[in-house]
Amino acid sequence: MRKEKLHVISTGRQKPEQLAEIVGSIHPYIDAIHIREKSKTAKEIFEMAKLLTDKRVPLSKIIINDRIDVAYALKVEGVQLAYHSLPVAIVKKQFASLRVGCSVHSIEEAQMAQEHGADYVIFGHVFPTQSKPGAVSRGLEQLAIVANAVSIPVVAIGGIKPTNVRGVIEAGAKGVAVLSGVLEAEDPLATVKEYNRKLLI
Amino acid sequence: MRKEKLHVISTGRQKPEQLAEIVGSIHPYIDAIHIREKSKTAKEIFEMAKLLTDKRVPLSKIIINDRIDVAYALKVEGVQLAYHSLPVAIVKKQFASLRVGCSVHSIEEAQMAQEHGADYVIFGHVFPTQSKPGAVSRGLEQLAIVANAVSIPVVAIGGIKPTNVRGVIEAGAKGVAVLSGVLEAEDPLATVKEYNRKLLI
């Protein structure tokens, strides 16, 4: 039985040990854990990733945000790039072993990312979310347009809950990305299993 | 005629175009320009480095602070690492083409950097400097002790002026690193030439 992907993204608010504890227990049920800690130094991100591997989280499930050097040095699966990161074409060329995802917010950005060699995009935010209060959400219609506009997988982010996963998948997303919905859930393990049931195809 | 090295380090205060203009004119008279822009993103650092190469600053003279990914992607000479950067041993192993400098503030840090494979260290600050108001400067005696304690080159930083370069070299430094002393000088070109005269050995 196949299912679409479940990406979990660190919130930037949890202690490294706390994150490692949670991801250590849920990793068999997720496809990727993104270390996205904008206020942390390279050394801190490096140490956070090592805490995850100490908890037997496989390197093939670890994605590091923006810091390609840390990702490359640790031989994790990939990097997630934003508009302020190194250009995706440069990263694909110079760090060919890394899987490269791009965070995009429009059709144009998604197409550009694909053209420059991105392996997938994360598009959002789809629904209103407390992570981006006040920002206008893109909605399922825009998600469907983006998913149609590119051939690489589109992962949806922003206010994704088990109750709205089906609609997101039906709109064409090949996966969902969740932050606090999993990592700050009362029972993260039960929560990822619930997401996974909705991600079955 | 040989001379010790002159490193110039960006101040973090100048506009990229302004820095590129100055370095474009002085690069034949310096040994390294460090892009040390802690508040800039990877993309901004990447673009700043490209502005320098547009001004014909050779890649062999460009050092990038902390962002090993940007340095490696652009094939510049090296990186300068601080305590918050990726560990030097990891960088030497995974990015073997890069020359690696470490910023150190004690004998122990200098010895550790050497042990882990650093190619050189920058030690300071030697004299009081407006970059670090209130911080206690190390002085020439400490510099001499550090220079004796390691076999890799020690570059001195902090309040280095043409008038005190000789003392710094006599204490065992193999070069000096200067920020505003060059980049905010009224005549940066005349200033680097003046430093170089004092660096002759």
Side-chain angles (χ1 to χ4, degrees):
Chain A
M1 196 180 283
R2 291 202 308 124
K3 74 164 194 68
E4 303 296 17
K5 307 291 187 196
L6 175 56
H7 293 235
V8 174
I9 300 180
S10 73
T11 63
R13 293 185 293 269
Q14 290 175 318
K15 293 216 173 101
E17 295 72 18
Q18 190 185 3
L19 179 74
E21 195 63 41
I22 296 171
V23 180
S25 84
I26 67 174
H27 74 79
Y29 305 96
I30 68 176
D31 297 286
I33 170 70
H34 294 236
I35 301 181
R36 180 173 175 275
E37 300 284 322
K38 296 189 176 186
S39 63
K40 286 203 163 56
T41 66
K43 185 181 195 172
E44 288 167 334
I45 294 167
F46 175 78
E47 284 165 357
M48 198 174 211
K50 289 214 296 186
L51 280 183
L52 293 185
T53 57
D54 286 349
K55 293 286 185 186
R56 306 199 179 278
V57 178
L59 289 172
S60 63
K61 290 192 176 180
I62 300 176
I63 305 279
I64 291 177
N65 195 78
D66 187 60
R67 290 296 309 220
I68 302 134
D69 40 11
V70 181
Y72 191 75
L74 283 171
K75 305 197 184 303
V76 301
E77 177 72 6
V79 285
Q80 183 69 28
L81 305 180
Y83 68 96
H84 58 75
S85 301
L86 271 179
V88 57
I90 300 280
V91 178
K92 285 301 294 181
K93 186 171 174 210
Q94 303 291 341
F95 303 90
S97 58
L98 291 174
R99 188 169 159 81
V100 178
C102 285
S103 300
V104 301
H105 306 90
S106 67
I107 303 169
E108 294 72 23
E109 285 180 13
Q111 288 174 322
M112 190 82 84
Q114 170 172 283
E115 193 179 311
H116 290 159
D119 295 297
Y120 66 94
V121 293
I122 296 186
F123 172 76
H125 53 283
V126 175
F127 301 114
T129 162
Q130 61 189 105
S131 308
K132 310 241 177 184
V136 178
S137 54
R138 268 67 184 181
L140 287 177
E141 200 172 326
Q142 278 297 306
L143 172 61
I145 294 172
V146 170
N148 259 314
V150 294
S151 57
I152 55 176
V154 175
V155 174
I157 194 170
I160 315 276
K161 299 180 192 341
T163 49
N164 59 32
V165 165
R166 290 312 308 170
V168 165
I169 299 305
E170 280 158 19
K174 296 297 179 190
V176 298
V178 185
L179 290 82
S180 59
V182 164
L183 293 172
E184 292 174 2
E186 264 191 48
D187 185 340
L189 186 59
T191 305
V192 291
K193 289 179 179 175
E194 193 182 353
Y195 274 100
N196 275 340
R197 280 193 295 274
K198 305 292 186 176
L199 286 164
L200 289 172
I201 48 175
Chain B
M1 198 178 284
R2 291 199 310 123
K3 73 163 195 71
E4 303 295 15
K5 307 289 186 195
L6 175 56
H7 293 236
V8 174
I9 300 179
S10 73
T11 63
R13 294 185 294 266
Q14 289 176 317
K15 293 217 173 101
E17 294 72 19
Q18 191 185 2
L19 179 74
E21 195 63 41
I22 296 171
V23 180
S25 86
I26 66 174
H27 72 80
Y29 306 96
I30 68 176
D31 297 286
I33 169 69
H34 294 237
I35 301 180
R36 180 173 175 274
E37 299 285 321
K38 295 188 174 188
S39 63
K40 286 204 163 54
T41 67
K43 185 181 195 169
E44 288 167 336
I45 294 168
F46 175 78
E47 285 166 357
M48 198 173 213
K50 288 212 297 186
L51 281 184
L52 293 186
T53 57
D54 287 350
K55 293 286 184 185
R56 306 199 180 275
V57 178
L59 290 172
S60 63
K61 290 193 177 180
I62 300 176
I63 305 281
I64 291 177
N65 195 75
D66 186 60
R67 291 295 310 219
I68 302 136
D69 39 12
V70 180
Y72 190 75
L74 283 172
K75 304 198 185 302
V76 301
E77 177 72 6
V79 286
Q80 183 69 27
L81 305 179
Y83 69 96
H84 58 74
S85 301
L86 270 180
V88 57
I90 300 279
V91 178
K92 285 301 295 181
K93 187 173 173 205
Q94 302 293 340
F95 303 90
S97 58
L98 292 173
R99 187 169 159 82
V100 178
C102 285
S103 299
V104 300
H105 306 89
S106 67
I107 303 168
E108 295 71 24
E109 285 179 14
Q111 288 175 322
M112 189 83 86
Q114 170 172 281
E115 193 178 314
H116 291 160
D119 295 298
Y120 66 95
V121 293
I122 296 186
F123 172 77
H125 53 285
V126 175
F127 301 114
T129 162
Q130 62 191 104
S131 308
K132 310 239 174 185
V136 178
S137 54
R138 268 69 183 180
L140 287 177
E141 200 173 327
Q142 279 296 305
L143 171 62
I145 293 173
V146 169
N148 259 315
V150 295
S151 57
I152 55 177
V154 175
V155 174
I157 193 170
I160 314 277
K161 300 181 192 338
T163 49
N164 59 30
V165 164
R166 289 311 309 169
V168 164
I169 299 305
E170 279 157 20
K174 296 296 178 189
V176 299
V178 185
L179 291 81
S180 58
V182 165
L183 293 172
E184 293 174 1
E186 264 191 48
D187 186 343
L189 185 58
T191 305
V192 292
K193 290 178 178 176
E194 193 181 354
Y195 274 100
N196 276 340
R197 278 193 295 274
K198 304 292 185 175
L199 285 164
L200 289 172
I201 48 176

